[in-house]
């Protein structure tokens, strides 16, 4: 594989991961408006919003470093998907529980995306970016553990 090929793959992976983060941010911000009765969950979600914004900033810097920018179309589509997901859950009686389940799955998706992105960054000669993406994956694992407490029997650690 030529270095331009891995560079293109890396830029695409950066845009995809950024779109994933923007979708998650959209969903979390919409969910926050309906959590008045769940202050602890709202506090967890607010912290995750802050973490996500920091991760988007890392992705923006990496995109800028390789001379790329976010895909406006991809972000628009994923933002709409995030809004639809939050709206669908809002119609359900067990909205908060469904959002919690979706958030849990989303965190594992983020961990996988960041770990993959770190490997691709290494191959693309961007070791400094790789360490930032490993940090993002670690943040997501810490959030998962912190939001649920210690590991329970049967939990699988992705590290």
């Amino acid at each position: 594989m030529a270095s331009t090929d891995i560079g293109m793959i890396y830029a695409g992976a950066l845009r995809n991961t950024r779109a994933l983060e923007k979708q998650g941010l959209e969903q979390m911000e919409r969910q926050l408006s309906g959590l008045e009765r769940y202050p602890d969950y709202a506090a967890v979600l607010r912290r995750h919003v802050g973490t996500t914004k920091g991760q988007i900033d890392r992705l923006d810097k990496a995109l800028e470093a390789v001379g790329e920018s976010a895909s406006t179309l991809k972000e628009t589509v994923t933002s709409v998907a995030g809004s639809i997901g939050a709206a669908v859950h809002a119609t359900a009686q067990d909205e908060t529980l469904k959002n919690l389940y979706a958030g849990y799955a989303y965190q594992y998706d983020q961990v996988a995306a960041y770990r993959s992105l770190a490997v691709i960054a290494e191959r693309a000669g961007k070791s400094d970016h790789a360490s930032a993406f490993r940090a993002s994956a670690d943040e997501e694992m810490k959030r998962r553990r912190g939001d649920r407490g210690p590991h329970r029997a049967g939990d699988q650690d992705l590290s």
Side-chain angles (χ1 to χ4, degrees), residues 5-152:
D5 291 336
I6 192 67
M8 289 172 53
I9 291 168
Y10 181 52
L14 287 169
R15 284 191 298 274
N16 289 341
T17 305
R18 188 179 191 285
L20 172 74
E21 288 290 13
K22 291 293 281 187
Q23 177 184 3
L25 183 61
E26 175 77 24
Q27 280 188 295
M28 287 184 290
E29 288 175 338
R30 287 209 46 172
Q31 289 171 15
L32 276 170
S33 66
L35 293 176
E36 311 78 37
R37 296 185 341 221
Y38 305 96
D40 293 340
Y41 183 33
V44 166
L45 209 50
R46 274 195 224 60
R47 286 191 303 272
H48 199 172
V49 164
T51 300
T52 299
K53 287 179 179 179
Q55 291 168 342
I56 290 170
D57 186 50
R58 285 181 193 147
L59 291 162
D60 286 341
K61 288 176 182 169
L63 279 164
E64 186 178 312
V66 297
E68 295 284 334
S69 62
S71 169
T72 306
L73 175 61
K74 186 172 287 188
E75 286 197 8
T76 300
V77 170
T78 56
S79 177
V80 168
S83 294
I84 291 170
V88 167
H89 288 182
T91 64
Q93 212 171 23
D94 55 352
E95 166 193 8
T96 303
L97 193 55
K98 287 184 188 233
N99 286 335
L100 183 63
Y101 293 161
Y104 185 70
Y106 173 70
Q107 282 184 291
Y108 275 111
D109 194 28
Q110 288 175 297
V111 170
Y114 281 117
R115 287 183 178 174
S116 298
L117 195 53
V119 171
I120 296 167
E122 288 280 348
R123 297 284 172 112
K126 302 291 184 186
S127 297
D128 54 329
H129 296 180
S131 62
F133 300 137
R134 283 189 191 92
S136 290
D138 290 346
E139 287 170 352
E140 291 303 326
M141 286 304 294
K142 286 177 188 169
R143 293 217 45 79
R144 187 195 70 80
R145 288 183 189 129
D147 294 349
R148 286 185 59 248
H151 278 306
R152 295 188 177 102

